[in-house]
Amino acid sequence: MSNQPISLARALSSFDALWSPRIVTHVNDYDVRIAKVEGEHVWHVHDDTDEFFLVLDGELRISLREAGGERTVRLPKGAVFTVPAGTEHKPSAPSGAAILLFEPTGTPTVGDRHEEVPAHVDATTGHALDA
């Protein structure tokens, strides 16, 4: 871990892969990750941990399946949202977005349970596979 300031813009410019978060730093036992996203991710759930989202650029939508039904939250640039542990959710960004995630170290991007993962995504990590 660096003891120097980290430029999120520089970190984001260092990769192009979508839905493939990169760790920029750690806070205690948590990873601070950044990702470029566009289109839809998969429905998934993190059984034992919340998932924190901060939109750095663009707009992120998060569909949620809750006891009262399904709903979608829209997060413009600068907005934050925490998906509670055990809540099935599906992030999407029709026009693309850059996001920051805060999760316990080792948390898989596709959660503990998820719908079928597309062939271009590693089902263990949730990261995009190089073409």
Side-chain angles (χ1 to χ4, degrees):
M1 178 169 59
S2 173
N3 63 354
Q4 297 297 317
I6 297 167
S7 165
L8 294 179
R10 182 174 298 154
L12 282 162
S13 70
S14 72
F15 66 96
D16 293 315
L18 298 175
W19 301 107
S20 186
R22 304 299 200 267
I23 298 170
V24 292
T25 192
H26 302 279
V27 178
N28 298 319
D29 295 332
Y30 283 76
D31 293 337
V32 178
R33 305 173 184 181
I34 55 170
K36 293 178 180 178
V37 298
E38 187 171 353
E40 295 185 348
H41 196 34
V42 296
W43 281 103
H44 65 283
V45 63
H46 300 279
D47 290 328
D48 300 315
T49 186
D50 298 338
E51 186 170 19
F52 172 88
F53 293 86
L54 164 63
V55 179
L56 302 171
D57 193 34
E59 180 184 88
L60 182 70
R61 298 174 186 171
I62 304 175
S63 295
L64 305 159
R65 290 181 176 154
E66 301 170 310
E70 208 170 285
R71 70 180 175 116
T72 299
V73 295
R74 292 176 185 248
L75 306 173
K77 179 179 178 177
V80 300
F81 184 77
T82 301
V83 176
T87 301
E88 193 172 8
H89 60 287
K90 179 179 185 174
S92 65
S95 300
I99 61 175
L100 182 141
L101 305 158
F102 191 73
E103 301 174 306
T105 297
T107 300
T109 304
V110 292
D112 302 305
R113 294 178 283 118
H114 52 80
E115 68 181 3
E116 185 174 338
V117 177
H120 67 277
V121 175
D122 181 312
T124 303
T125 65
H127 295 177
L129 298 173
D130 294 330

